[in-house]
């Protein structure tokens, strides 16, 4: 997600965002942002290629339609601390953010740091698949982790089709890579150990780490960023790797001999969420309505950004062959494991600590 330059913001704001965590504690007054331009919202997105895609398909067209300027900002993964601090100090660097469902749960359990979007009954938003909706978030991107592989590494042999195949180094030889993070990796390890998708949660960590112990000696590389995976697939440095479908599709579109399997893919959802107390909440709601239109989601889908609107509303807007590559294409959806955000909300700190210790062992 970092191989394209994000939508530009001014230098002063960029410095503030980068230094947010350290500065907020010692000098929160420097976070004050001018509101002299009422027709402006700042949206925290994933950065890199996603900022560029959103700029072209959502931000600029929305500005042309409404006159409301959209400025992109980025941050670290799951920015719960930043959002809490902004809301508590009422000094907003962002008006809204694209965040995961577990982050939304974290920010609305106990003290609430997000605005209710109040769009449930709108004709556009109400058609979004219910699992991608909450009172505080409107789903925008169904992201999924799939098993990808180099087709040239398996010429004349059966191609890998499951996490069990990734773990089977005898029948599926080749250099392997895994994500250096427990999210998705724990679930894959359990399914590789023959745990059915409907039994993955709550995760049996003892079983998961026993499974990881089996594959660890055969992992040539541990990846951390999506752009790194795309390069690994293009160069052929690895033969098998679990990664985001957007990176797989980018490698395929670039002409690399790469394929993937939908079996046991691990999918979740990112949502538009409005920071509680922002004076631009109504402008944010206008933007969410625009971004949720099937037409806009169909345009995003060509970049493997999974739509949250049902396939029936999109099939006339997307090439049928391309539609088969969507996370929410009906046949694909039923073959996957939906991430249990409530499990990770309760257990992520414990699991991350244990995973990091395991990596060092």
């Amino acid at each position: 997600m970092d191989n394209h330059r994000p939508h530009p913001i001014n230098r002063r704001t960029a410095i503030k965002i980068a230094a947010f965590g350290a500065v907020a504690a010692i000098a929160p007054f420097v976070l004050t942002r001018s509101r002299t331009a009422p027709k402006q919202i700042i949206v925290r997105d994933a950065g890199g290629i996603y900022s560029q895609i959103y700029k072209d398909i959502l931000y600029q067209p929305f500005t042309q339609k409404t006159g409301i300027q959209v400025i992109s900002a980025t941050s670290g993964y799951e920015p719960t601390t930043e959002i809490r601090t902004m809301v508590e100090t009422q000094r907003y660097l962002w008006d809204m953010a694209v965040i995961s469902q577990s982050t939304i749960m974290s920010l609305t359990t106990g003290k609430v740091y997000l605005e209710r979007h109040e769009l449930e009954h709108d004709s556009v938003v109400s058609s979004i698949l219910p699992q991608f909706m909450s009172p505080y978030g409107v789903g925008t991107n169904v992201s999924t982790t799939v098993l990808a592989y180099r087709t040239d590494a398996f010429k004349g042999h059966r191609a890998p089709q499951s996490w069990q195949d990734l773990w089977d180094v005898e029948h599926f030889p080749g250099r392997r890579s895994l994500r250096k993070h427990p999210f998705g990796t724990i679930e894959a390890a359990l399914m590789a150990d023959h745990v059915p998708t409907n039994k993955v949660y709550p995760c049996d960590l003892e079983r998961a780490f026993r499974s990881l112990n089996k594959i660890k000696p055969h992992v040539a590389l541990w990846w951390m960023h999506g752009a790194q995976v795309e390069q690994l697939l293009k160069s052929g440095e690895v033969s098998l790797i679990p990664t985001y479908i957007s990176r797989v599709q980018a490698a395929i579109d670039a002409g690399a001999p790469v394929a993937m399997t939908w079996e046991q893919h691990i999918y979740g959802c990112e949502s538009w969420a409005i920071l509680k107390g922002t004076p631009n909440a109504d402008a944010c709601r206008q933007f969410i309505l625009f971004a949720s239109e099937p037409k806009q989601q169909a345009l995003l889908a060509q970049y493997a950004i999974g739509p949250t609107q049902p396939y029936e509303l999109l099939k006339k807007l997307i090439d049928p062959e391309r539609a088969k590559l969507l996370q929410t294409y009906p046949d694909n959806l039923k073959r996957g494991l939906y991430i249990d955000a409530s499990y990770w909300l309760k257990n992520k700190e414990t699991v991350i600590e244990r995973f990091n210790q395991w990596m060092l062992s």
Side-chain angles (χ1 to χ4, degrees):
M1 294 184 284
D2 51 4
N3 56 344
H4 285 259
R5 183 165 55 88
H7 183 52
I9 56 177
N10 64 61
R11 182 175 181 273
R12 183 180 179 84
T13 303
I15 293 172
K16 288 178 183 176
I17 291 171
F20 184 88
V23 174
I26 60 174
F29 64 87
V30 303
L31 300 179
T32 302
R33 177 159 57 83
S34 171
R35 288 288 177 175
T36 57
K39 290 191 174 182
Q40 170 182 294
I41 58 174
I42 295 183
V43 180
R44 180 269 178 196
D45 57 36
I49 189 172
Y50 283 90
S51 293
Q52 188 65 43
I53 293 168
Y54 285 149
K55 173 187 173 183
D56 295 341
I57 293 177
L58 298 180
Y59 300 163
Q60 289 184 340
F62 176 73
T63 300
Q64 293 168 1
K65 182 177 181 179
T66 66
I68 301 171
Q69 185 181 11
V70 182
I71 297 176
S72 170
T74 59
S75 72
Y77 185 63
E78 294 195 337
T80 52
T81 300
E82 292 95 325
I83 291 174
R84 287 191 179 111
T85 303
M86 290 181 205
V87 172
E88 288 172 352
T89 62
Q90 296 185 20
R91 296 179 173 93
Y92 296 92
L93 286 178
W94 317 325
D95 298 297
M96 58 183 294
V98 181
I99 50 179
S100 69
Q101 288 181 314
S102 62
T103 299
I104 290 175
M105 288 183 181
S106 177
L107 292 168
T108 55
T109 300
K111 185 173 181 179
V112 176
Y113 293 89
L114 301 175
E115 291 279 352
R116 286 181 174 268
H117 54 74
E118 301 175 337
L119 299 173
E120 295 91 341
H121 303 296
D122 177 84
S123 59
V124 173
V125 173
S126 63
S127 61
I128 288 176
L129 294 169
Q131 65 265 44
F132 306 136
M133 286 287 299
S134 79
Y136 299 97
V138 176
T140 179
N141 176 24
V142 181
S143 57
T144 192
T145 295
V146 296
L147 173 59
Y149 57 91
R150 291 275 302 194
T151 56
D152 53 355
F154 296 98
K155 282 185 177 179
H157 301 278
R158 182 170 68 89
Q161 293 297 309
S162 68
W163 303 120
Q164 294 172 24
D165 293 345
L166 176 61
W167 258 245
D168 187 349
V169 297
E170 179 181 353
H171 295 98
F172 299 92
R175 286 170 60 85
R176 285 153 162 75
S177 180
L178 290 179
R179 185 186 180 193
K180 196 176 182 179
H181 199 288
F183 293 175
T185 306
I186 292 293
E187 290 92 334
L190 288 170
M191 288 185 282
D193 200 40
H194 304 278
V195 175
T197 54
N198 64 346
K199 300 292 185 181
V200 167
Y201 299 108
C203 296
D204 182 339
L205 294 180
E206 297 304 322
R207 186 170 181 175
F209 280 100
R210 284 199 302 269
S211 178
L212 285 169
N213 283 336
K214 296 175 184 177
I215 195 65
K216 188 177 184 181
H218 306 283
V219 178
L221 294 164
W222 293 88
W223 66 268
M224 298 180 65
H225 307 291
Q228 179 187 6
V229 173
E230 189 176 331
Q231 182 56 38
L232 290 172
L233 284 170
K234 288 178 180 178
S235 67
E237 191 172 347
V238 297
S239 300
L240 304 95
I241 188 169
T243 188
Y244 314 123
I245 188 176
S246 57
R247 293 300 178 178
V248 181
Q249 194 59 52
I252 293 172
D253 290 345
V258 172
M260 63 187 177
T261 175
W262 283 103
E263 291 300 326
Q264 303 175 322
H265 68 97
I266 304 165
Y267 71 99
C269 181
E270 294 181 324
S271 300
W272 304 113
I274 305 170
L275 274 64
K276 188 174 183 62
T278 173
N280 289 333
D282 286 340
C284 292
R285 291 184 177 98
Q286 290 184 59
F287 174 78
I288 291 171
L289 290 174
F290 176 80
S292 300
E293 290 278 356
K295 178 182 177 182
Q296 302 308 126
Q297 291 205 356
L299 292 172
L300 292 172
Q302 63 185 315
Y303 298 99
I305 294 178
T308 55
Q309 292 284 3
Y311 176 67
E312 288 300 312
L313 295 181
L314 299 168
K315 63 182 181 181
K316 294 182 180 179
L317 303 171
I318 302 175
D319 177 83
E321 291 305 310
R322 192 75 177 187
K324 294 178 182 178
L325 301 175
L326 296 179
Q327 297 89 320
T328 48
Y329 185 71
D331 286 347
N332 297 337
L333 201 60
K334 67 184 181 183
R335 294 157 73 183
L337 169 69
Y338 189 48
I339 295 169
D340 187 338
S342 62
Y343 171 82
W344 284 110
L345 174 64
K346 296 174 185 176
N347 298 283
K348 66 178 181 180
E349 291 183 6
T350 300
V351 179
I352 288 173
E353 181 179 357
R354 180 167 179 181
F355 183 86
N356 290 340
Q357 290 175 349
W358 175 82
M359 284 293 302
L360 296 173
S361 64

